[in-house]
Amino acid sequence: MYMDEYQYFFCRSKSSGNTFFPSPISSLWKVAKMFSTAQSSKAQFLDKARQAREERRELKERERAAIQIQALIRRFLCRCWLQREIRREVEDFFEINESAPSKRSALSIFKISRKLLFIFRIKEDKERFEKLCRCILNTMDVENEPKVWYVSLALSKDLTLLWIKQIKDILWFCCEFLKQLKPDILQDSKLVTLHLTMLVTFTDTSTWKILRGKGETLRPAMNHICANIMGHLNQKGFYSVLQILLTNGLARSRPSLSKGTLTAIFSLALRPVVAAQFSDNLLRSFLIHIMSVPAIVTHLATLTPERLAVIESHDLFRKFILFLSREAQCRDVCVCLEGSHTLCLLGNLIYLGSLNDKVLEDETAHFVSVLIHMLSYCQKYVSQKKSNLTHWHPVLGWFSQTVDYGLNESMPLLTKQLQHLWGVHLIRILFSDVLSKKLVETQDPTYPLGQTASPQNSLPMKNLFKRAFQKSASVRNILKPVGGKRVDSAEVQKVCSICVLYQTTLTTLTQIRLQILTGLTYLDDLLPKLWAFICELGPQGGLKLFLECLNNDTEESKRLLAMLMLFCDCSRHLITILDEIEVYEEQISFKVEELVTISSFLNSFVFKMIWDGIVENAKGETLELFHSVHGWLMILYERDCRRRFAPEDHWLRKDLKPSVLFQELDKDKKRAQLLLQYIPHVIPHKNRVLLFRNMVTKEKEKLGLVETSSASPHVTHITIRRSRMLEDGYEQLRPLSQNLMKGVIRVKFVNDLGVDEAGIDQDGVFKEFLEEIIKKVFDPALNLFKTTSGDERLYPSPTSYIHENYLQLFEFVGKMLGKAVYELVCHELIPGGKTIPVTNENKISYIHLMAHFRMHTQIKSQTAALISGFRSIIKPEWIRMFSAPELQRLISGDNAEIDLEDLKKHTVYYGGFHGSHRVIVWLWDILANDFSPEERAMFLKFVTSCSRPPLLGFAYLKPPFSIRCVEVSDDQDTGDTLGSVLRGFFTIRKKEPGGRLPTSSTCFNLLKLPNYSKKSILREKLRYAISMNTGFELS
C-alpha cells in the first residue's frame, strides 16, 4: 500500500468516529521535531563557543598591537630624543670648535662625525654638515700638528677602515648636495666651492701635510686609499653629479661657474681617468658625462686655458678619437647621449680638433670617421616635417628624439663650435690633398669670354673684361675631364671620406645649412680644385665613372657620388650668391669656360639618369643626388638664360629626337614625362612651343571646345563699351567657370556714342579686347601695378587695396593673362613696351611678372590672387617647359623686328592680286623702306590684332596672312567674282578708289586693299588707317 493511501485510510477512520490509531506520518513528524530542536541547540552552542574564541583572539591581538605600538612610540620617542641629543652635542662641538679650533683633535672630529652621520638627514642637517666639512678642512690647514689632521686617522690600525668608510660617506653626501645646488645663486655658489674643496682634498694626496718629509714613504699607501675612495664615488655616480653641476653652471648664455670652480670640477673629472690609465670604461664615462656638456671646451678655453694644456699633455684628444673610431663604442656613446647631447659632444670634439693641428693631421681618417658616425646617428632622427613624434631643435630642426630644451641657451655657443668644422682652418687641414694641387696656368686665356657672350652683352663690358684680365698676368687652363687617377687609391678614398663628412653635415644640421655652404665656399680655390680632382678620376674622367657608380651599390661608389653631390651643392650655393660681375668679369672660383664644361657634364648626367630609368625608381641617397645635380644644373641654365655664357645649342641633346620624345609622351612613358618636368631645355624651343600648342589643343578637344562635324562648342557672348572696357570685361567674365573661360568668347564692341561697332567676332575682336584690357590693367595709372624705376619692371602696387574687391581684380588679371597664353595671343605687359629695346639684361618673363614679383608682406595676397587666376587657365606643368626669356617670347611674341621676307613668303593673295602685282610690290616696298619699325608693328596689329610676330614665324600664323583686292566698301562687298578677280589681276578699275581706306578682318588675318593707282596714295591711306585705332569704324 502506498504512503498516501495509508495516510488516507487512517484519516478517514478518525472522521467516522472509530477508535483512533495515530498515523505513521504524525509519529515521524514528532520524532523529527525533537531531533531538530536538539540540533538547533547544538548549533547555537557551537556558534557561541566560536564567538567567544574570536573575542579572546581579538583581545590578544589588541593587546599585542598595543604593546607593539607602545614599543614603536617608545622607540620613536627615544630616537627623537637621541637625535636631539646628538644634534645638540654636534652643535655644542662646533660652537666650541669655532672659538678654539686648534684644540680639537682629529679623533674628536671623527667621533662627532660618526654621531652626525648616524642620524644624518639631508634637509635637517644641511647646516651641521656644512660646519663639519669646514671643520675637517680647517684641520688639514693646521701646521705641524699631526693629531689635528683629520687624514691622520687613516694611519691608525684600529680606525683605518672606519675612517675610510666615514670619508666615503661624507664625500658622497657632498655629491648629493652638489646635485641640488644652483651655481648662479650666490649662497649656493659658496657651498659648491665648499663641497668641491672636500672632494678635491680627499681624492688626491698632493695637499696632505702628513706626507711631507718623512711621511713621503706613506704616499703610495695613501694614493691607494684615494683611489679606493674615488672608485667608490664612481660606482655611486660621481660623473653624473659632475655633469649636473657643469650643465647647471655652463648651459646658459653666460656661465655662472668661476674659474676656480670650473678648474676644480674638471680636475676631479680627470682624476679617475688618469688613475685608471685611460681605460675604455673611464674614457666612456668621461665622454658621456663631461665632454657632452654644452660648449665645455669653449668655457675651458675662456675661463681656465690651463686645463686645455692638461688635456694636451695627456694627449686626450687623440685618445678620444681612437676610442670613438671603433664603431661599436661610438654607437654606444651616441645611444647613451641621444641627439641633443650627441651634438654637444660633437661640438666639443670639433673645437678640440681645431686646437690640436698635429693630432688632427695624424688622425684625419679617424677624426672624419668619428664625425660621420655621430652625425649619421643624429640624422636618423632628423625629420623633414612636424608631427606628434617630433620636437623642434634649433640646429637639427624637427627631431624625433627627446630634446633637452634646457640646452637652448647654450645653442649659440654650440653653433660657434660646430662652425669650426667648415671654417677655413679645418678646411685647409682636411682638404690639404686637394688644396695642395696647383692648377696649370698659361699666359693667355685659351677661350675668350667674348666668344660665348652675345654681342649686345659683351660690348658694354669690354673695359670690365680688360680690367679683370689685367688683374693677373697668368690665367689657368680650362679644367676638363682627363681621367687617370685610380679611385681606390688612398688619396681618393681620403678625399671621398671628407666629402661624405660634409655632405652628412649638410643633411643633418638642417637649420644651419646655409652657414655650412657659405663656409665651404669661402676659399675661392677649393671648388675649382675639387672639380680638377673630379676630372682626374677614373680611366677617362667625368661622366662615365659617375654613371657606373649609380649602378654599383658599393661603399666606394656611394662615397664618389657623395663627392659629386657636395661639389654640386656648394657650387650651386656659390653661383647663387655671386652677382653678374663676380661671375662673368672677376670669374670668382670658376672661369666662365669651366662653367660651360661643368654644365655640359651636369646636363648629360641628369639626362642619362632620367632617360636610363634611374630616376623613376630612385629613392633615398640616389634621389638626393639627382636633386643636387639637377639643382646645380638649373642654376647654371638660368644664369645662361639671363646672360649667355654657353655656345648656341649647348643645352640641347642631339641624340634625343623630338619625335621620339613626343611618341613616348603620347604613350604616357614615365621617362618622357620626367624629362619634360626636369630638363625641358634639352628639347629645341620650337618643338616645346609646338608641344605646348598640342597640349592646349588636346585639352580643348577633351573639353569640347573645338568645332566638329557633329557638335559646336558653347559660345559666350559679351558686350563691351570701349569707354568702360575693364569694368565691363570684369563684370561679365569674372563669374564664368573655368571651362567657359577656356572656351569660345565672342565680343561685341559698343562705341562712345552707344552704337554697336561694325564687325563680326571670329576671334579677331576678342584678341583685340584681350590686348586692350591687359594694357589697361597693367597701366600704372590704374594703381593695380607699379613699375620699377629704370628697367620698368612691373609689380603689384602695395596700395592697390584702395580698389573695391582688389583681390578679385588681381584674380581676373591672372585669368586674362592665362587666357592670352591659352589662345596664343601676344601682347605687351608694359605700356609702350614695344618701343623699349629688349636685351638679355632687361628681359622679364611673363611668369616672373606673375609669380616672382618683389615679394613682401603687403603684396602677397595680390600675387596669390593673380597666380590663382592664371592657374585656373594654364596648368603649371605646361609653363615649366620654358625658361624665363622663353616665356617672355611665348606671351609677347618674338622680340626681333618683323621679318618682312618671312611674312611675304607666307602671304596668300585673293581678288586678282599676286606677288608681282604693282600694288603688292608697292605695299612691300612701303613696309620695308618707308615705314618705321613702330609703324610696321602697327600694321601687323591692324591686320592680325597683335603687334608682335608669331613666336615660330609667320608660317604658324593661323589662318595665314592674306591680301584681297576690293572694289567696294565692306558693307557692299559680296566676295570675289570672276569679273572682280580679272579686273584686279589686269589692274582694271571701275572707278578711282582714292577716297577709300584699306580695311582688315583680324579674325582671318586679312588685309582688304583697294586697287590704288599711285604708290603715294597707298602709302598715305595705309598710314592713316593703321594709326587711327578706331575699331571697326573705318570705311
Side-chain angles (χ1 to χ4, degrees), residues 601-613:
F601 167 84
L602 298 174
N603 207 36
S604 298
F605 188 83
V606 173
F607 173 75
K608 289 289 187 183
M609 284 192 75
I610 293 174
W611 205 244
D612 293 348

Side-chain angles (χ1 to χ4, degrees), residues 1 4-14:
M1 191 177 288
D4 53 347
E5 293 175 346
Y6 186 69
Q7 185 176 5
Y8 175 75
F9 174 76
F10 280 97
C11 290
R12 184 178 179 188
S13 299
K14 182 180 178 181

Side-chain angles (χ1 to χ4, degrees), residues 26-275:
S26 303
S27 302
L28 287 172
W29 171 252
K30 291 180 181 179
V31 172
K33 187 174 181 182
M34 178 184 70
F35 278 106
S36 64
T37 303
Q39 289 175 355
S40 175
S41 301
K42 183 179 179 181
Q44 291 177 358
F45 173 78
L46 293 174
D47 187 47
K48 289 180 180 179
R50 187 176 63 255
Q51 290 179 0
R53 284 196 305 272
E54 289 290 335
E55 290 175 0
R56 289 194 299 273
R57 188 172 70 253
E58 289 178 5
L59 181 61
K60 288 180 180 179
E61 286 292 332
R62 283 197 296 270
E63 289 176 352
R64 185 162 55 250
I67 294 170
Q68 190 174 2
I69 292 171
Q70 290 173 5
L72 287 172
I73 291 173
R74 283 196 297 271
R75 184 168 64 183
F76 173 76
L77 294 173
C78 182
R79 192 164 61 247
C80 290
W81 175 84
L82 180 61
Q83 289 173 352
R84 286 196 300 272
E85 289 299 314
I86 290 176
R87 288 189 173 103
R88 188 180 296 114
E89 183 179 351
V90 170
E91 289 171 356
D92 292 341
F93 178 87
F94 290 139
E95 287 178 6
I96 296 171
N97 185 65
E98 289 173 2
S99 60
S102 61
K103 294 181 180 179
R104 292 296 182 182
S105 66
L107 183 59
S108 63
I109 293 175
F110 173 77
K111 291 179 178 179
I112 202 68
S113 298
R114 288 190 71 186
K115 292 181 178 181
L116 179 59
L117 295 175
F118 177 70
I119 55 102
F120 186 75
R121 297 288 183 276
I122 285 184
K123 290 184 178 180
E124 297 177 31
D125 298 307
K126 178 174 173 289
E127 293 183 5
R128 298 179 187 88
F129 185 77
E130 294 166 10
K131 291 178 181 179
L132 174 64
C133 291
R134 290 192 180 93
C135 183
I136 291 173
L137 290 173
N138 286 338
T139 67
M140 299 296 290
D141 293 332
V142 175
E143 296 288 343
N144 303 319
E145 292 193 34
K147 291 185 179 181
V148 175
W149 295 329
Y150 177 70
V151 77
S152 64
L153 297 177
L155 303 177
S156 171
K157 293 181 180 179
D158 299 331
L159 298 176
T160 300
L161 295 178
L162 293 174
W163 180 84
I164 291 173
K165 183 182 183 307
Q166 185 178 93
I167 193 62
K168 285 178 179 178
D169 291 341
I170 290 173
L171 293 183
W172 182 246
F173 282 130
C174 287
C175 292
E176 292 285 358
F177 280 113
L178 286 173
K179 286 196 291 187
Q180 300 175 4
L181 295 172
K182 305 295 181 186
D184 54 329
I185 301 174
L186 180 60
Q187 186 60 36
D188 279 13
S189 67
K190 293 179 180 178
L191 296 178
V192 168
T193 302
L194 172 65
H195 297 306
L196 285 176
T197 306
M198 283 291 293
L199 288 164
V200 169
T201 302
F202 293 102
T203 54
D204 184 76
T205 61
S206 59
T207 60
W208 293 3
K209 295 182 174 64
I210 197 171
L211 300 181
R212 293 177 183 173
K214 295 180 181 180
E216 188 66 35
T217 57
L218 301 172
R219 189 173 297 276
M222 296 294 102
N223 285 338
H224 183 72
I225 291 175
C226 286
N228 183 279
I229 294 170
M230 185 56 77
H232 171 77
L233 294 177
N234 281 337
Q235 289 179 356
K236 298 274 286 183
F238 181 57
Y239 274 117
S240 296
V241 173
L242 296 183
Q243 181 184 18
I244 292 170
L245 183 59
L246 285 169
T247 303
N248 288 339
L250 300 180
R252 51 184 62 247
S253 53
R254 294 182 61 185
S256 57
L257 296 180
S258 64
K259 175 181 179 178
T261 303
L262 184 57
T263 301
I265 297 171
F266 200 76
S267 299
L268 284 168
L270 271 180
R271 282 179 182 174
V273 182
V274 176

Side-chain angles (χ1 to χ4, degrees), residues 104 110 216 235 249 387 397 402 423 464 531 594 651 735 772 795 821 835 876 888 897 980 985:
R104 292 296 182 182
F110 173 77
E216 188 66 35
Q235 289 179 356
S387 72
T402 303
L464 288 172
W531 172 243
E594 287 166 0
W651 303 99
E772 291 299 324
Y795 64 97
V821 175
T835 64
Q888 174 76 8
E897 288 190 12
S980 67
F985 186 83

Side-chain angles (χ1 to χ4, degrees), residues 214 318 371 379 456 565 626 640 658 914 931 937:
K214 295 180 181 180
R318 189 192 305 273
L371 297 194
Q379 190 186 68
Q456 60 185 349
M565 193 170 173
F626 172 76
D640 186 61
H914 51 84
F931 275 19

